[in-house]
């Protein structure tokens, strides 16, 4: 019989041998969590997270992480992902304007993505119960029955893999326990806001439980869409209605979601959770406002001689957008007298999505556990855009996007000895998308651009990972991991006329003459240069392919000076995938771009003091980016919206988070963050760009980091007061949020290059809640944006491309709501 020492040595040898076989390719760290068993003890202030794929006290996790519990989410009147992100330092999740449909811009520490096109990859990984959500479309999730939200800042290349260069956001649903509990909540508020929420948890057998939850929300919009001709009858613009000139209210809410989770525990070593959800989001489009206009190169966009001008700047909460463009005969430089077909749509946005997942955990032995996570999700969306927000006929679009994805992850978690934890695993992901865009672009003066582009994009990736966490001493822990990722993507282009059948010769002359998918000699001399041997390629049927592999690593040391003070230092890498330009107007604009890579250095501490009544965490970081992906608005021969690898950037900053309960019942939370960047001018190599871009092609700006403000802070306070005599409690709460001005992109509309910003703002939210003595009934009054601050969530400037507009999405004005919640 083996001795304990021999058995322990054999386990270590087996685990290290398995690591060597897997080439040490790794991910999640395992740190000891001696405090987990007392997580719910009074006064311990313990929050359990799974950021490193195991249960850990957040104060034992050597990562910059914000964890928001369900109670905190409710207390702050937060209902969606964007509101939660406001409380996390150096994190920005914002809804996009109408031109980008029901999507978000997501950024952590200045790294992210603002274009929903499936050809691009997000820089922030979003996960629902450990299943990756691959797109920005539909990502403004409602916080339906969540247990907590974890926001991991900094690259998570070894922990969550690709497209988490900025960080990761993870939602965790409340799991069934079969105790018969549940709740119902109803709300009514501003602009006929109606909200219903509920959940029920029940046992089916001794080993099988189920939890069902749902939400229904409706609210009128806050931006008036006005008939310009009706409001200005002498303008020369024809009216489309009479009487009330307000055609609709934009920025409305129409959200429904349902989720079911089934938990089966046949033995104490097997745990299976199956979940399914359905979301329907149908509403008026985002309510944007026009800020300013500029020259439009094509005079044929005018309506009855009225051209685009600042006369169409409506005001704070209104615009003059239309739902289509009429058929006309227009003059273009190369196509005078062109007949343009009428195009039409609606002012509504539609999104439907559903998903299923299975999480199976098997404890193979006391020291080894196998976990399998399988997920499938699909969605489709439809939205229409009148980009200039006026009746002038510059452009109009109809957009349809369908996406489906599948992922499978296996993890083997081992604890062969005290203080030694090893994880090995593999991951596979695939997705297919079709972005069917129907565009009527009239501001370009060269030739007519009415076309349909039903472009399919497919992508897949696999990874092998492993991680070793080793307590070198009682106080010092080493985490070291590697992850190997291999990914590929391909996109096929089609440029049809509006009939969706014939090829548009203005965008794809070779395809129109020789047929879809042609690549060969120009025997008919379509180029007109007298050479019939030139090799030419049709844009329609052309497939752009991308592939790359990547080895990411993470090394971290943390030292616990005492039970209440931990310091850590880490270096980690990550990347955002590459691809090809999804919006070419000719084969020459099929421009590829490579992955954006980051190496991040971080130092921080986590502390609890004053008998665990005060918690202060801090982190400072330096992110070294190479091959930064940046957008350009001009390509050879005509406008486009491509990506290029434009240089190297260093992003640096710091973050502070504070929570405190100085006296019983009084809670305080706050955060502060700062971020800045510097650009290596020598890295802006003009040879890396497509002529005629030259040096600094897209306007990489040394002054301000994109997608996130330099300074950001929030402070929240609440006090729970006992009313006495069995009358229950009353809890007032206030939350103050400030954001400095935020760089939103270059401004190339003038003679010299400038910059555009989202102005700084400060908002104040309030909530007061009465709870009965049994704590099963709450009545709350909430007011958001108490001071009625006017500010912008996003901005879209296409003046430099000749489209003639600079517009923004204003945030919601002051709103109130009354809620009643009953627990059972």
């Amino acid at each position: 019989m083996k001795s304990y020492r021999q058995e322990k040595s054999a386990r270590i040898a087996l685990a290290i041998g398995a690591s060597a076989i897997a080439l040490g390719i790794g991910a999640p760290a395992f740190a000891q969590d001696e405090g987990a068993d007392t997580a719910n003890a009074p006064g311990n202030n313990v929050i359990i997270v799974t950021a490193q794929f195991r249960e850990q006290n957040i104060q034992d996790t050597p990562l910059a992480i914000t964890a928001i519990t369900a109670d905190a989410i409710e207390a702050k009147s937060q209902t969606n992902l964007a509101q939660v992100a406001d409380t996390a330092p150096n994190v920005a999740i914002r809804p996009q304007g109408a031109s980008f449909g029901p999507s978000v811009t997501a950024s952590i520490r200045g790294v992210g993505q603002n274009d929903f096109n499936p050809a691009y990859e997000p820089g922030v990984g979003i996960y629902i119960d450990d299943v990756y959500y691959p797109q920005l479309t539909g990502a403004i999730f409602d916080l339906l029955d969540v247990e907590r939200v974890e926001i991991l800042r900094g690259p998570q290349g070894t922990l969550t893999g690709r497209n988490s260069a900025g960080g990761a956001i993870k939602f965790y649903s409340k799991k069934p326990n079969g105790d018969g509990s549940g709740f119902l909540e109803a709300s009514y508020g501003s602009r006929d806001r109606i909200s219903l929420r509920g959940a029920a948890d029940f046992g089916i057998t001794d080993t099988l439980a189920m939890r069902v939850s749902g939400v229904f929300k409706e609210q009128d919009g806050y931006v008036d869409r006005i008939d310009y001709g009706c409001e200005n009858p002498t303008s020369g613009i024809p009216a489309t209605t009479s009487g009330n000139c307000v055609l609709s209210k934009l920025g409305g809410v129409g959200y429904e979601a349902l989720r079911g989770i089934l938990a089966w525990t046949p033995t104490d070593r097997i745990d299976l959770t199956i979940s399914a959800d359905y979301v329907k989001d149908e509403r008026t489009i985002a309510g944007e406002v026009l800020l300013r206009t500029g020259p439009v190169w094509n005079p044929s966009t005018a309506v009855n001689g009225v051209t685009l001008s600042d006369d169409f700047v409506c005001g704070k909460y209104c615009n003059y957008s239309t739902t289509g463009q009429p058929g006309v005969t227009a003059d273009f430089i190369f196509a005078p007298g062109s007949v343009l077909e009428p195009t039409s749509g609606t002012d509504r946005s539609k999104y439907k999505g559903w998903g299923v997942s299975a999480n199976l955990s098997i404890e193979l032995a006391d020291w080894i556990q196998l976990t399998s996570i399988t997920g499938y999700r699909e969605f489709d969306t439809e939205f229409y855009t009148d980009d200039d927000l006026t009746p002038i006929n510059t452009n109009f679009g109809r957009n349809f996007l369908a996406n489906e994805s599948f992922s499978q992850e296996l993890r083997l978690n081992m604890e062969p000895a005290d203080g030694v934890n090893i994880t090995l695993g593999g991951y596979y992901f695939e997705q297919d998308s079709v972005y069917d865009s129907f565009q009527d672009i009239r501001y370009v003066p060269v030739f007519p651009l009415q076309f349909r582009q039903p472009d399919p994009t497919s992508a897949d990736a696999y990874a092998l990972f492993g991680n070793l966490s080793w307590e070198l001493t009682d106080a010092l822990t080493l985490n070291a991991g590697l992850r190997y990722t291999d990914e590929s993507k391909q996109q096929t282009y089609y440029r049809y006329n509006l009939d969706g059948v014939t090829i548009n010769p203005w965008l794809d002359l070779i395809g129109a003459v020789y047929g879809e998918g042609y690549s060969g000699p120009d025997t008919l001399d379509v180029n007109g240069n007298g050479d019939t041997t030139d090799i030419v390629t049709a844009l329609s049927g052309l497939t752009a392919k991308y592939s790359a592999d990547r080895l990411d690593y993470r090394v971290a040391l943390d030292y616990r000076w005492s039970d209440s003070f931990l310091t850590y230092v880490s270096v980690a890498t990550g990347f955002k995938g590459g691809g090809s330009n999804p919006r070419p107007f000719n084969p020459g604009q099929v421009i590829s771009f490579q992955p954006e890579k980051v190496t991040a250095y971080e130092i921080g501490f986590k502390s609890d003091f004053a008998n665990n009544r005060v918690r202060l965490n801090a982190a400072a970081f330096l992110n070294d980016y190479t091959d930064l992906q940046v957008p350009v608005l001009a390509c050879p021969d005509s406008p486009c919206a491509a990506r290029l690898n434009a240089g190297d950037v260093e992003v640096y900053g710091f973050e502070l988070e504070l929570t405190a309960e100085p006296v019983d019942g009084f809670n305080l939370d706050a955060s502060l963050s700062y971020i800045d960047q510097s650009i290596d001018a020598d890295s802006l190599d003009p040879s890396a760009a497509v002529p005629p871009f030259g040096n600094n092609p897209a306007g990489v700006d040394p002054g301000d980091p994109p997608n996130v403000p330099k300074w950001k802070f929030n402070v929240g306070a609440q006090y729970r007061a006992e009313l006495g005599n069995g009358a229950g409690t009353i809890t007032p709460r206030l939350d103050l949020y400030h954001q400095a001005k935020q760089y939103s992109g270059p401004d190339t509309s003038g003679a010299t290059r400038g910059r555009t910003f989202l102005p700084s703002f400060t908002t104040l939210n309030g909530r007061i809640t009465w709870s009965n003595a049994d704590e099963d009934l709450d009545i709350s009054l909430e007011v958001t944006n108490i001071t009625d601050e006017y500010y912008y969530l996003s901005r879209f400037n296409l003046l430099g491309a000749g489209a003639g507009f600079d517009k923004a999405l204003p945030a919601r004005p002051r709103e109130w709501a009354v809620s009643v919640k009953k627990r059972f």
Side-chain angles (χ1 to χ4, degrees):
M1 178 179 294
K2 291 183 179 180
S3 67
Y4 170 76
R5 184 179 299 275
Q6 289 173 322
E7 183 178 22
K8 178 177 176 181
S9 299
R11 288 179 179 178
I12 295 175
L14 174 61
I16 294 177
S19 301
I21 292 173
L23 300 178
I25 296 167
F30 278 77
Q32 288 284 54
D33 183 20
E34 297 177 356
D37 293 338
T38 59
N40 297 318
N44 275 354
N45 196 24
V46 172
I47 298 177
I48 300 301
V49 298
T50 56
Q52 299 189 121
F53 301 130
R54 68 182 295 265
E55 291 188 348
Q56 284 183 281
N57 184 341
I58 191 173
Q59 295 301 89
D60 292 332
T61 308
L63 292 170
I65 177 174
T66 300
I68 304 100
T69 64
D71 289 342
I73 289 170
E74 182 176 354
K76 296 178 181 181
S77 304
Q78 296 170 339
T79 61
N80 60 53
L81 171 60
Q83 294 167 331
V84 166
D86 282 345
T87 62
N90 280 326
V91 179
I93 310 293
R94 297 297 188 196
Q96 283 279 46
S99 300
F100 297 86
S103 68
V104 302
T105 174
S107 174
I108 297 179
R109 291 182 174 174
V111 180
Q113 182 63 269
N114 58 6
D115 195 327
F116 71 94
N117 195 292
Y120 298 134
E121 301 293 338
V124 173
I126 298 176
Y127 294 81
I128 304 173
D129 295 328
D130 285 330
V131 175
Y132 178 54
Y133 188 87
Q135 297 291 325
L136 296 177
T137 298
I140 194 76
F141 300 114
D142 185 89
L143 303 177
L144 171 62
D145 205 27
V146 298
E147 180 69 32
R148 69 185 183 281
V149 178
E150 298 178 12
I151 301 178
L152 286 61
R153 302 187 297 279
Q156 307 298 314
T158 60
L159 296 175
T160 60
R162 59 196 288 270
N163 300 330
S164 296
I169 300 173
K170 298 186 173 185
F171 293 80
Y172 291 96
S173 306
K174 290 184 178 179
K175 292 185 177 180
N177 54 30
D179 63 357
S181 63
F183 73 90
L184 288 173
E185 181 183 50
S187 303
Y188 180 80
S190 301
R191 300 190 313 278
D192 288 332
R193 169 182 164 180
I194 299 174
S195 176
L196 300 173
R197 295 173 178 271
D201 194 316
F202 50 91
I204 300 174
T205 69
D206 291 342
T207 61
L208 187 65
M210 188 171 187
R211 186 175 182 92
V212 178
S213 56
V215 59
F216 170 85
K217 298 190 297 184
E218 278 192 353
Q219 187 179 23
D220 292 339
Y222 61 100
V223 173
D224 291 339
R225 185 170 76 86
I226 298 174
D227 183 340
Y228 185 85
C230 172
E231 188 176 73
N232 301 274
T234 63
S235 64
I237 302 293
T240 60
T241 187
S242 59
N244 185 2
C245 298
V246 177
L247 300 171
S248 59
K249 299 279 190 177
L250 304 182
V253 176
Y255 189 92
E256 304 170 25
L258 183 67
R259 174 180 295 147
I261 302 178
L262 193 67
W264 183 47
T265 311
T267 72
D268 58 0
R269 290 182 177 268
I270 299 176
D271 187 351
L272 173 63
T273 301
I274 298 174
S275 66
D277 65 82
Y278 171 78
V279 174
K280 179 182 178 182
D281 185 359
E282 183 172 346
R283 52 185 169 78
T284 52
I285 59 175
E288 296 175 299
V289 297
L290 189 63
L291 303 181
R292 55 178 175 155
T293 61
V296 176
W297 301 328
N298 187 354
S300 298
T301 59
V303 176
N304 291 340
V306 180
T307 60
L308 189 63
S309 71
D310 286 349
D311 291 341
F312 294 100
V313 176
C314 180
K316 285 187 173 182
Y317 295 110
C318 62
N319 68 43
Y320 299 115
S321 60
T322 62
T323 56
Q325 298 186 147
V328 297
T329 299
D331 289 329
F332 297 87
I333 295 175
F334 295 121
S338 295
V339 177
L340 299 179
E341 298 182 31
T343 52
S344 62
T346 71
D347 63 357
R348 299 193 65 79
S349 169
K350 301 178 182 179
Y351 172 94
K352 292 182 180 179
W354 64 275
V356 293
S357 65
N359 188 316
L360 174 64
S361 177
I362 303 175
E363 189 175 329
L364 302 176
D366 291 341
W367 62 283
I368 185 168
Q369 182 184 61
L370 175 67
T371 300
S372 170
I373 303 172
T374 308
Y376 175 84
R377 180 166 293 277
E378 69 175 57
F379 70 79
D380 61 80
T381 184
E382 172 186 347
F383 61 96
Y384 303 82
T385 61
D386 177 24
D387 283 339
D388 59 42
L389 306 179
T390 78
I392 305 305
N393 299 319
T394 62
N395 62 90
F396 184 78
R398 296 192 290 176
N399 302 272
F400 305 86
L401 174 61
N403 179 276
E404 59 180 353
S405 61
F406 169 82
S407 63
Q408 173 63 55
E409 182 169 0
L410 292 174
R411 300 189 210 129
L412 194 63
N413 299 334
M414 298 171 283
E415 189 177 0
D418 290 342
V420 178
N421 292 274
I422 295 173
T423 296
L424 298 174
Y427 177 78
Y428 175 75
F429 170 81
E430 66 177 16
Q431 70 169 327
D432 292 289
S433 302
V434 177
Y435 178 35
D436 190 349
S437 176
F438 188 102
Q439 297 295 323
D440 181 8
I441 301 173
R442 303 188 183 185
Y443 63 82
V444 176
V446 182
F447 45 74
L449 289 174
Q450 285 192 317
F451 60 95
R452 181 178 172 185
Q453 49 180 28
D455 296 352
T457 302
S458 61
D460 60 66
Y462 68 84
L464 298 173
F465 57 86
N467 196 90
L468 170 68
S469 176
W470 188 356
E471 288 189 7
L472 303 175
T473 69
D474 289 342
L476 182 65
T477 301
L478 168 68
N479 290 279
L482 291 171
R483 186 181 190 110
Y484 173 78
T485 302
D486 188 294
E487 65 175 15
S488 62
K489 181 191 299 181
Q490 64 179 35
Q491 178 176 4
T492 303
Y493 304 95
Y494 298 96
R495 295 297 179 267
Y496 297 136
N497 292 310
L498 296 188
D499 60 16
V501 177
T502 57
I503 295 176
N504 187 311
W506 297 108
L507 295 173
D508 187 9
L509 181 59
I510 302 301
V513 173
Y514 291 104
E516 186 177 297
Y518 180 82
S519 181
D522 186 11
T523 57
L524 299 178
D525 192 21
V526 176
N527 284 338
N529 60 3
D531 189 347
T532 59
T533 63
D534 286 342
I535 301 301
V536 293
T537 301
L539 180 56
S540 298
L542 175 63
T543 298
K545 297 182 179 181
Y546 153 82
S547 64
D549 58 3
R550 169 80 176 170
L551 185 64
D552 285 304
Y553 66 87
R554 176 175 180 262
V555 179
L557 279 172
D558 63 80
Y559 189 83
R560 182 160 287 285
W561 301 84
S562 67
D563 290 341
S564 60
F565 192 76
L566 173 82
T567 59
Y568 69 91
V569 59
S570 69
V571 56
T573 65
F575 77 101
K576 181 169 68 173
S580 297
N581 176 22
R583 300 182 178 97
F585 285 84
N586 55 59
Q589 292 185 0
V590 181
I591 304 165
S592 63
F593 56 94
Q594 297 305 306
E596 176 181 290
K597 301 176 283 290
V598 60
T599 301
Y601 307 89
E602 183 173 322
I603 184 171
F605 70 80
K606 299 192 173 186
S607 65
D608 294 278
F609 50 93
N611 196 26
N612 286 332
R613 285 188 176 272
V614 180
R615 170 169 294 170
L616 178 65
N617 295 342
F621 61 90
L622 171 65
N623 292 349
D624 187 0
Y625 286 91
T626 58
D627 295 327
L628 191 73
Q629 296 173 8
V630 296
V632 296
L633 296 178
C635 292
D637 304 325
S638 58
C640 70
R643 287 286 193 276
L644 296 176
N645 298 104
D648 304 338
V649 178
E650 288 186 346
V651 179
Y652 50 90
F654 69 84
E655 299 153 350
L656 295 172
E657 290 185 284
L658 171 73
T659 59
E661 189 179 4
V663 297
D664 290 346
F666 178 65
N667 295 94
L668 178 71
D669 56 84
S671 71
L672 171 69
S673 60
Y674 171 80
I675 189 170
D676 208 337
Q677 71 177 20
S678 63
I679 293 178
D680 180 3
D682 293 336
S683 71
L684 299 175
D685 184 0
S687 65
V690 178
F693 302 128
N695 201 31
N696 199 6
V700 180
D701 203 296
D704 297 272
N707 305 321
V708 68
K710 278 190 176 183
W711 288 99
K712 172 183 173 182
F713 72 81
N714 71 276
V715 180
Q718 70 179 47
Y719 182 71
R720 180 181 173 90
E722 298 283 347
L723 297 178
N725 299 320
T729 62
I730 189 164
T731 306
R733 180 179 178 90
L734 287 174
D735 285 280
L736 179 71
Y737 176 84
H738 173 78
Q739 174 178 308
K741 71 176 183 178
Q742 178 178 324
Y743 174 67
S744 60
D747 184 358
T748 58
S749 59
T752 59
R753 181 179 175 277
R755 298 184 291 170
T756 58
F757 292 90
L758 299 177
S760 64
F761 63 88
T762 303
T763 61
L764 181 66
N765 298 335
R767 183 183 180 99
I768 185 168
T769 301
W770 171 83
S771 301
N772 68 350
D774 294 332
E775 296 188 344
D776 60 2
L777 177 65
D778 297 339
I779 300 177
S780 302
L781 169 66
E782 67 179 68
V783 182
T784 56
N785 195 4
I786 293 174
T787 59
D788 207 19
E789 180 90 346
Y790 185 78
Y791 62 99
Y792 302 130
L793 298 175
S794 64
R795 187 171 179 177
F796 189 27
N797 176 7
L798 273 186
L799 294 176
F805 68 85
D806 180 10
K807 62 179 180 177
L809 174 64
R812 293 178 175 275
R814 179 171 51 235
E815 297 181 349
W816 63 269
V818 176
S819 301
V820 179
K821 183 175 184 178
K822 172 65 177 175
R823 301 178 185 86
F824 53 86

